[in-house]
Amino acid sequence: MKANLKILCIGLGKLGLVFSQVLAERNGKTFGYDVNKKILSSIKKNEKSIEPNLNKLIKRNKRTFSIVNTIKEGIKLSDGAFLVLPTPSKKNHEFDNSYILNSLNKIGPHLKNKKNYLINITSTVNPGSCEIFIKMLEKKFNLKHGKNFILTYNPHLIALGSIYNDILKSDLVLIGSNLKKGFRILKNIYKSFYPKQLSKLKMLNLKEAEISKIAINSYITMKISYTNLLSQISDKTKNIDVSKILNAIGDDKRIGRKYLSLGAMYSGPCFPRDNLNFIQYLKKEKVNFSLLKSTDEINNIQTTRYIKIFNQERKKIKKKPIIGLCGISYKENTFVNTKSPAMEIYKKLFKKYKIIFHDVNYHENFEKYNFIKDQKKFFNSVDVIFICYKNEKFKKLSKYSTNKNKIIIDLWNFTRSNNRKIFIKNIGVN
Ligand SMILES: NC(=O)c1ccc[n+]([C@@H]2O[C@H](COP(=O)([O-])OP(=O)(O)OC[C@H]3O[C@@H](n4cnc5c(N)ncnc54)[C@H](O)[C@@H]3O)[C@@H](O)[C@H]2O)c1
């Protein structure tokens, strides 16, 4: 039987490290490379990670996963590379491909004597990028696509805090290739991930796969904004519980329940920027993008909406309230707070109010803010609490005893209280 391909993972950041471990666990021998020496040393020491499963996986994969010190060494030892590199958004919302191009420039010189070396781009890229990468490698290093190397696009639909499960339980896996050989190679790798579910591999050409990745996220953001649009009705109309409306319409299978419950705006490192990137792409292609623009606009007005609600509710407190922001990150099990509800509310209120943060997790970066780790102490120190992401542990906030009026503004509609001193305002319910 032919041995599984040996894979080099380039970029061992939030996604790359977990992905490399799934490869090592399922597919076999995997090498990891990152330019950041701090990251390499922390992997070697298996320093505690917040991402569930990661430390256990690294420990279990001791024999199948090893770190290499140079790209040259990694390519020599492997049959293909997965590139999981940053593609930060530029001012015009296009993704910056420079990390990938830099890396390809380091890979190129070592491919001359390789046959069909796999270069699998896992990072999210602008539609059209992979064809540019192929041309660059061919021209600059005198290589032939389909002979020396095969470039494929294979982004993953994951969220931080559940990466391992999201990879293995995803509904679909996008595989973009302009060559049949590319599909064959990736199918071979993924049969170890999804032995009986190979139909979830969606074989597309490179541009189709590039468009699909951002289209999926853009569609989900549209659904979230639609939910928030409905939620806004309750700000104006009495006797409306939008969660009941959502519960009813979600039973229509054409609509479905996912992303159709009361919650805050979409946030984090993927949803907002993927939608904006898709707008930019449609603009370039001269396709009307007003639907996606509205999605973004509705998202952007949510914070202002929360502040308006706060201004109404705060009247229940006689003095200038101290505000508590509960949940700094954009979701549970991650420290990432890119565009998180807490940070967006903070930006609007910090000049006028004293603000204290709390989170179920702890990260040294949280110390930049006024942060109280102990939940009860946090509760006692503030007057108005915003619950900014959903976590069962936050439910306890409505159970503490208090003789001072407290207001909890729950953006996720999951906190209840019988305490007459604690007023709960669930967004979307009036
Ligand atoms: N994090 C997510 O939730 C998520 C979800 C889906 C897709 N993605 C996409 O995956 C890609 C990676 O995201 P991430 O969150 O893991 O980023 P990250 O910043 O956490 O990790 C990127 C890693 O690449 C390393 N790196 C940079 N240049 C390098 C080079 N030349 N050689 C080797 N290593 C290098 C960095 O040191 C870093 O460790 C992005 O395109 C992102 O859009 C991320």
Side-chain angles (χ1 to χ4, degrees), residues 89-151:
S89 294
K90 297 197 275 194
K91 269 208 176 107
N92 68 357
H93 305 301
E94 276 180 12
F95 302 134
D96 176 357
N97 284 340
S98 61
Y99 289 85
I100 298 183
L101 286 165
N102 267 338
S103 186
L104 292 176
N105 269 308
K106 302 226 168 75
I107 295 170
H110 310 293
L111 296 183
K112 201 70 203 152
N113 299 322
K114 287 274 184 188
K115 198 177 159 222
N116 288 336
Y117 188 83
L118 174 74
I119 298 177
N120 187 36
I121 310 289
T122 300
S123 309
T124 310
V125 297
N126 306 307
S129 300
C130 287
E131 282 167 11
I132 297 173
F133 300 153
I134 293 172
K135 279 198 194 115
M136 187 283 268
L137 283 170
E138 288 196 317
K139 211 166 155 207
K140 191 156 180 193
F141 300 102
N142 197 20
L143 302 167
K144 184 105 186 72
H145 186 221
K147 187 173 164 244
N148 307 96
F149 73 98
I150 292 177
L151 191 137

Side-chain angles (χ1 to χ4, degrees), residues 307 322-329 340-350 354-359 370-372 378 382 384-389 394 397 409 411:
I307 304 303
I322 297 175
I323 296 169
L325 294 178
C326 191
I328 299 188
S329 315
S340 73
M343 296 319 296
E344 295 300 302
I345 295 170
Y346 175 72
K347 276 189 233 158
K348 293 228 184 256
L349 292 179
F350 80 95
K354 178 173 178 186
I355 296 187
I356 300 175
F357 286 91
H358 169 72
D359 203 298
N370 197 348
F371 179 78
I372 299 184
F378 165 77
V382 298
V384 180
I385 297 172
F386 284 88
I387 298 193
C388 298
Y389 70 71
F394 295 154
L397 285 163
I409 300 179
L411 309 186

Side-chain angles (χ1 to χ4, degrees), residues 10-16 33-36 39 84-87 99 102-103 106 122-124 156 158-160 213 269-270 273 330:
I10 303 179
L12 300 172
K14 295 181 283 299
L15 174 57
Y33 173 73
D34 199 291
V35 279
N36 186 333
I39 288 189
V84 203
L85 297 167
T87 48
Y99 289 85
N102 267 338
S103 186
K106 302 226 168 75
T122 300
S123 309
T124 310
H156 279 267
I158 57 97
L160 300 178
K213 160 65 170 68
C270 285
R273 80 186 199 113
Y330 82 101

Side-chain angles (χ1 to χ4, degrees), residues 4 22 52 66 90 132 138 144-145 156-157 219 222 239 316-317 321 332 349 366 371-372 385 388 396 402 419 424:
N4 285 356
V22 186
S66 32
K90 297 197 275 194
I132 297 173
E138 288 196 317
K144 184 105 186 72
H145 186 221
H156 279 267
L157 305 160
Y219 189 92
M222 182 181 73
N239 255 329
K316 296 183 181 111
I317 309 274
E332 60 184 358
L349 292 179
F366 294 173
F371 179 78
I372 299 184
I385 297 172
C388 298
K396 235 172 131 188
T402 174
N419 187 332
I424 305 232

